[in-house]
Amino acid sequence: MRRRINLLKRHYWISIAVMALLFLLALVRATLADPLVQTTVTVEMYAIAITLLAIPGALKLFAEKIRKVSQGSSRETIVKRYRNAWLLRIYVVNLVAAGNILLYGLSQGRNFMWLALVSFIVYMFCQPSLQELESVVREKEEVQ
């Protein structure tokens, strides 16, 4: 289990590094050049709505997928389901962050910058944890 968590942690830190690099590039581009596109209020409203729905949705989806692991499952099955649920959660957060960073880089709209920063805060809730995985495994094994 420790090896799997270490792989997920590596994946986690690479995701944050890539998104931070993209964000820094968007910031540099915003200070050096004019906006490439003008966004409308409608685009900003959809970006806000998607961000505000996708982030809690990803966090809730993770919790639901973990909760629905059957009690009779083997340890390996539980670990695999945890990994799949965790990867789905981080990819949804990555997609939302990348979309907001891209929109900020293209339009230089401050709303997109703030939405990207909110996405970075969400990463704090996505870090894989050995204790969390062990508690899920222990909980499912105790029910048997």
Side-chain angles (χ1 to χ4, degrees):
M1 275 195 301
R2 185 174 301 276
R3 185 178 60 85
R4 293 259 175 111
I5 290 295
N6 286 337
L7 288 172
L8 291 178
K9 281 186 179 183
R10 187 175 312 137
H11 193 85
Y12 171 78
W13 288 112
I14 289 171
S15 293
I16 291 175
V18 168
M19 290 300 143
L21 180 64
L22 288 175
F23 187 67
L24 288 174
L25 290 172
L27 282 174
V28 168
R29 195 217 164 285
T31 59
L32 298 178
D34 293 330
L36 293 175
V37 294
Q38 292 289 66
T39 57
T40 63
V41 174
T42 306
V43 172
E44 290 183 14
M45 287 177 19
Y46 276 114
I48 290 168
I50 289 169
T51 301
L52 291 179
L53 291 173
I55 289 174
L59 298 175
K60 180 69 175 169
L61 181 64
F62 174 78
E64 287 297 315
K65 285 186 148 302
I66 295 301
R67 188 182 62 79
K68 287 186 179 182
V69 172
S70 62
Q71 280 73 15
S73 300
S74 68
R75 177 180 292 256
E76 189 60 34
T77 302
I78 295 169
V79 171
K80 184 178 178 184
R81 294 257 174 104
Y82 177 87
R83 181 187 62 110
N84 291 340
W86 186 87
L87 287 171
L88 179 61
R89 177 177 65 179
I90 198 77
Y91 287 147
V92 169
V93 173
N94 283 344
L95 184 65
V96 169
N100 287 318
I101 291 168
L102 177 68
L103 287 170
Y104 173 63
L106 292 175
S107 71
Q108 297 176 5
R110 293 286 178 200
N111 285 341
F112 301 123
M113 179 190 72
W114 291 114
L115 289 171
L117 289 175
V118 166
S119 300
F120 279 110
I121 292 169
V122 172
Y123 281 115
M124 291 188 312
F125 299 101
C126 295
Q127 187 170 12
S129 166
L130 182 61
Q131 292 81 13
E132 179 182 38
L133 179 57
E134 286 175 345
S135 70
V136 169
V137 169
R138 195 173 325 112
E139 175 185 308
K140 299 300 179 185
E141 287 177 347
E142 286 176 0
V143 174
Q144 292 180 1

